[in-house]
Amino acid sequence: QIQLVQSGPELKKPGESLKISCKASGYTFTDYAMQWVKQAPGKGLQYMGWINTQTGKPTYADDFKERFVFSLETSASTAYLQINNLKNEDTATYFCARGLDLGTWGQGASVTVSS
Amino acid sequence: DVVMTQTPPSLSVAIGQSVSISCKSSQSLVYSDGKTYLHWLLQSPGRSPKRLIYQVSNLGSGVPDRFSGTGSQKDFTLKISRVEAEDLGVYYCAQTTHFPLTFGSGTKLEIK
């Protein structure tokens, strides 16, 4: 079955970096774009941007143009979200989602930033 | 950015009742290919979002036909017939016609 499996929870200090993975299975990875969505604790869904899985080109929403990097390891059917220079407000759950129709979502990766 | 206005913010319903959730967009969601990329998601407590309906009215795989979506242009509705206990959670509309993708603020469905 089609699945997106994300990496586990992270506890980081301000200023550190992290990289979240999203491994796809059950379909051809390059057939669908990968979206990234942030959900702060108790809040709604905030769109971060997407990566073209055929070309590797990332496109970021305005709030995520600095410190955030989308990348791919196509041979492993895996997308990555890297966050640099972590801030307290990056504390959230981060989801990957498949395609323009948001058909499949990862289980979410919890990130806590605290000194 | 396209603003998605979702109402009501919360609902409390008894098992077996029917409910409707409204989602209005600040711009038409019809894309240049003629399709309308308006979708409905359910986030059950402690879970990731799950897509229920895509492109206004198409039922996602495995989604019960108690769920239905209607609408066009800027005005959309999700209807749940015969609510069941497993339907509780937060419902979001989402548009993927325009970049950036945007979501409604959510409707929390509680079971009486």
Side-chain angles (χ1 to χ4, degrees), chain B residues 20-77:
Chain B
S20 292
I21 300 169
S22 170
C23 179
K24 296 184 190 297
S25 59
S26 59
Q27 298 177 32
S28 172
L29 299 185
V30 181
Y31 189 55
S32 54
D33 62 3
K35 296 180 181 179
T36 301
Y37 292 92
L38 182 284
H39 321 293
W40 291 96
L41 313 170
L42 166 60
Q43 188 171 28
S44 301
R47 306 295 299 273
S48 61
K50 174 188 174 183
R51 187 194 66 188
L52 301 173
I53 302 275
Y54 65 98
Q55 294 177 33
V56 180
S57 58
N58 297 287
L59 213 57
S61 176
V63 176
D65 60 7
R66 300 182 292 100
F67 293 91
S68 61
T70 59
S72 63
Q73 298 287 334
K74 298 167 57 176
D75 196 349
F76 305 92
T77 301

Side-chain angles (χ1 to χ4, degrees), chain A residues 35 37 39 43-47 49-50 59-61 95 100-103 105-108, chain B residues 1 37 39 41 43 47-51 54-55 92 94 96 99-105:
Chain A
Q35 316 280 2
V37 175
Q39 187 170 40
K43 301 296 186 183
L45 303 172
Q46 183 181 15
Y47 183 63
W50 68 287
T59 304
Y60 302 96
F95 296 102
L100 201 57
D101 286 347
L102 306 176
W105 290 64
Q107 83 276 21
Chain B
D1 297 1
Y37 292 92
H39 321 293
L41 313 170
Q43 188 171 28
R47 306 295 299 273
S48 61
K50 174 188 174 183
R51 187 194 66 188
Y54 65 98
Q55 294 177 33
Y92 295 97
T96 60
F99 185 86
L101 280 60
T102 47
F103 300 92
S105 53

